[in-house]
Amino acid sequence: MRSVLRFIGHRLYTTWATFWFVMPFVVTYPLQVLLSRRPAWHRHLHTLNRLWSKLFIRMWLVPVEVVRHQPQPQGQPCVYVPNHSSYIDIPLLFKAIPGFLNIMGKSSLAKVPLWGPIFGRVYLTVNRESVISRARSLVQARQSVEEGRSLVIFPEGSISARPGEEMGAFKDGPFQIAVSLGAPIVPVTMPYNHRFMPDVPGSLRVRYARLRIELHPAIPTVGLTAADIPALKERVRAIIASGFDPAAAGIPAPSGLRPAADEAPAPTGATAPDADAALHPAGTPGQPR
């Protein structure tokens, strides 16, 4: 009986979360298309995207903790480098980081029906298999920072194979941009996103899970050179990893009418273990900032 309730709860919560993600986009789609057509309007589109992110995250009914260790540098664009563990990383970043952000995503995002072309016009995309695309995206990213627009780049380049446990190798790109322009680097930790919506090929898996985004103190790069980048990468990696929760390692098991033989117990506080918890989550969403 418990497995049946859990199965129903997972299905209902997945439907609820999907509805609140899709519905606001459908309602605002004509306005998003309009605002994406002129670069002068992109700032307003980003504001709309931030409001969209705040709305559907609130309606997911999950507690959200935004931790800022210190005020972000004022009047100076930063390079934000977060760990990458889930499809909801970008919405959570939009919710937590103020200002007119630019973000670099993989080129396949621009191919997503309806939303993809809008993303491709307003933000940066890169095909990491192409040397030319990588070089072009770095030039565009540098130009964005020079124009005063803070930048978000996932240093791993793709979602980690072991989210919440181990990060992939860091690329040099975000560190080269920050060092060459003297822009501060802000490490960002998101330790629970993969518990809410893991990267599962061919499947949409949503589980009620508390969320947290931690904005670490900015690291100044003025005076650093290319020779300092390896040490800078290791420093940032250690800072991001310091915010991980060992109990949240791994991804949630698939739901089913029978528990999987290898299904591990859900980490304490990271995800609701049954239908009752999914339908009646404890806690209240964090206030948008």
Side-chain angles (χ1 to χ4, degrees):
M1 184 61 181
R2 183 179 178 86
S3 63
V4 172
L5 291 176
R6 178 174 53 211
F7 178 81
I8 295 172
H10 287 165
R11 291 295 182 267
L12 289 176
Y13 187 69
T14 298
T15 302
W16 172 269
T18 303
F19 171 80
W20 281 107
F21 176 82
V22 173
M23 187 274 290
F25 172 75
V26 172
V27 171
T28 62
Y29 177 69
L31 180 58
Q32 293 202 40
V33 172
L34 176 64
L35 293 177
S36 71
R37 289 179 176 173
R38 293 189 181 180
W41 296 344
H42 289 176
R43 178 182 295 273
H44 304 299
L45 179 54
H46 181 72
T47 298
L48 183 61
N49 280 332
R50 175 178 284 113
L51 293 174
W52 173 31
S53 297
K54 287 182 176 181
L55 173 61
F56 67 69
I57 290 174
R58 178 178 289 276
M59 294 309 298
W60 285 345
L61 307 177
V62 295
V64 180
E65 183 182 12
V66 179
V67 179
R68 294 182 175 91
H69 288 284
Q70 68 178 33
Q72 301 304 298
Q74 295 296 313
Q76 183 178 17
C78 299
V79 177
Y80 292 87
V81 284
N83 64 297
H84 200 7
S85 66
S86 170
Y87 301 118
I88 67 167
D89 291 347
I90 292 177
L92 197 59
L93 289 161
F94 282 177
K95 168 185 166 59
I97 302 176
F100 182 31
L101 292 177
N102 207 344
I103 188 165
M104 185 179 292
K106 57 186 180 181
S107 57
S108 59
L109 290 177
K111 300 176 182 178
V112 174
L114 300 180
W115 177 78
I118 296 173
F119 182 90
R121 286 194 288 268
V122 180
Y123 304 105
L124 301 173
T125 60
V126 57
N127 177 1
R128 299 195 181 277
E129 303 302 317
S130 167
V131 175
I132 294 175
S133 177
R134 293 200 306 269
R136 182 175 61 246
S137 66
L138 287 177
V139 170
Q140 293 171 335
R142 178 188 172 94
Q143 181 180 1
S144 177
V145 176
E146 288 177 328
E147 293 172 350
R149 190 175 175 186
S150 287
L151 179 68
V152 175
I153 303 184
F154 296 103
E156 299 167 88
S158 59
I159 292 177
S160 170
R162 301 178 64 185
E165 272 184 275
E166 186 176 293
M167 287 177 283
F170 278 15
K171 314 297 184 186
D172 286 345
F175 304 95
Q176 291 173 341
I177 293 170
V179 167
S180 65
L181 297 177
I185 289 179
V186 181
V188 182
T189 304
M190 296 179 286
Y192 300 124
N193 291 5
H194 63 286
R195 298 298 306 180
F196 183 91
M197 186 182 290
D199 177 18
V200 182
S203 174
L204 174 63
R205 190 176 303 175
V206 179
R207 300 289 185 269
Y208 174 84
R210 65 188 178 102
L211 300 175
R212 173 186 171 94
I213 180 167
E214 186 173 1
L215 304 176
H216 298 278
I219 300 173
T221 63
V222 174
L224 299 184
T225 67
D228 298 305
I229 288 178
L232 182 60
K233 286 197 300 183
E234 290 308 310
R235 180 181 175 186
V236 170
R237 172 187 286 275
I239 291 172
I240 296 174
S242 71
F244 285 169
D245 180 356
I251 64 174
S255 59
L257 296 180
R258 293 183 178 179
D262 60 347
E263 182 176 344
T268 302
T271 186
D274 53 33
D276 184 64
L279 296 173
H280 305 285
T284 56
Q287 294 299 316
R289 302 187 183 185

